[in-house]
Amino acid sequence: MTDVQDHLLSILVRDEPRVLTRITALFGRRGYNIKSLSVGSTEHPGVSRMTIVVSGDRGVVEQAIRQLEKLHDVVRIIDHSLEKYVDRELVLVKVAITPESRVEVRQIAEDFRSRIVDVGRHALTFEVTGDEGKITAFIEQMRPFGILETMRTGRIALTRGSNADIPAHVYHEGETQALQPTLEVQPREERARHVPNLF
């Protein structure tokens, strides 16, 4: 019996057209359902970070990682199951309220350290940030009052600490992948300057 579990991957990619399509297609061809996907810019110009959560057994996920590493647009892949990491997710939750339930709903929200981002006569919208467990617990607490809408961003993650802080036993092969020297990825405009003008 295969050990199916969630795998949290960070994929650093070049800012190029159709990169997202190529990467998601690779998972799709292997029958993976991507549970969450977040994409954003990084500290390096011309490089974005994709954070993907997929379910599958360890061996097949490693196979997919090897295929991803062959893509020209992929700069680096970090498998967070091999590292100590911190992860967060953001959710907006619109909850139905009545005059009787308003105080209780606000008290629960305060317990979760959530923030009210919109107030209506019959609904309150909350912003909650935290790990997956906290987000799920908040939604379950609000469900009896009537959830009108939710929107979750998906998980994002970074490796904890520095080389000095991370014990050697969490390294996959040698030094951690997540703490390599600064990337040197030329933006498309910079590369274009070095192409000779033939006209």
Side-chain angles (χ1 to χ4, degrees), residues 134-164:
K134 177 182 176 181
I135 299 297
T136 302
F138 179 81
I139 290 172
E140 290 306 311
Q141 286 290 315
M142 291 299 177
R143 201 176 294 283
F145 300 101
I147 293 178
L148 303 175
E149 290 182 275
T150 65
M151 182 60 208
R152 295 175 76 153
T153 59
R155 291 165 70 185
I156 55 173
L158 288 176
T159 301
R160 285 186 178 272
S162 64
N163 279 338

Side-chain angles (χ1 to χ4, degrees), residues 3 37 48 50 60-61 71 84 106 142 144 157-158 174 189 198:
D3 182 21
L37 170 64
S48 292
M50 299 174 59
V60 181
V61 170
L71 297 178
K84 288 187 175 180
R106 291 180 75 121
M142 291 299 177
L158 288 176
E189 297 79 10
L198 302 178

Side-chain angles (χ1 to χ4, degrees), residues 181-195:
T182 302
L183 298 175
E184 294 181 7
V185 180
Q186 285 186 317
R188 180 183 293 175
E189 297 79 10
E190 183 65 27
R191 293 199 306 274
R193 289 197 190 109
H194 302 292
V195 176

Side-chain angles (χ1 to χ4, degrees), residues 1-7 32 54-61:
M1 183 177 174
T2 57
D3 182 21
V4 176
Q5 59 181 356
D6 286 352
H7 297 269
Y32 280 110
V54 293
S55 291
D57 66 86
R58 178 85 223 154
V60 181
V61 170

Side-chain angles (χ1 to χ4, degrees), residues 11 18-30 32 34 37 39 50 52 68 71:
I11 307 173
R18 296 182 295 278
V19 172
L20 179 59
T21 303
R22 286 193 284 272
I23 289 175
T24 54
L26 189 146
F27 283 102
R29 286 196 299 270
R30 281 156 181 75
Y32 280 110
I34 295 176
L37 170 64
V39 184
M50 299 174 59
I52 297 178
L68 285 169
L71 297 178

Side-chain angles (χ1 to χ4, degrees), residues 5 7-8 17 78 112-113 127-128 130 136 151 162:
Q5 59 181 356
H7 297 269
L8 180 61
I78 302 163
F112 278 86
R113 297 183 181 177
E127 172 192 305
V128 189
T136 302
M151 182 60 208
S162 64

Side-chain angles (χ1 to χ4, degrees), residues 70-118:
K70 295 177 183 177
L71 297 178
H72 167 73
D73 302 306
V74 173
V75 178
R76 184 182 303 157
I77 301 173
I78 302 163
D79 183 347
H80 290 291
S81 66
L82 306 174
E83 312 272 358
K84 288 187 175 180
Y85 65 90
V86 58
D87 69 316
R88 288 294 181 269
E89 188 173 358
L90 181 142
V91 66
L92 295 176
V93 184
K94 186 183 292 184
V95 181
I97 56 166
T98 64
E100 296 77 24
S101 67
R102 179 183 291 268
V103 173
E104 188 177 356
V105 167
R106 291 180 75 121
Q107 182 58 58
I108 293 171
E110 191 176 309
D111 292 344
F112 278 86
R113 297 183 181 177
S114 68
R115 195 162 67 94
I116 297 173
V117 293
D118 185 61

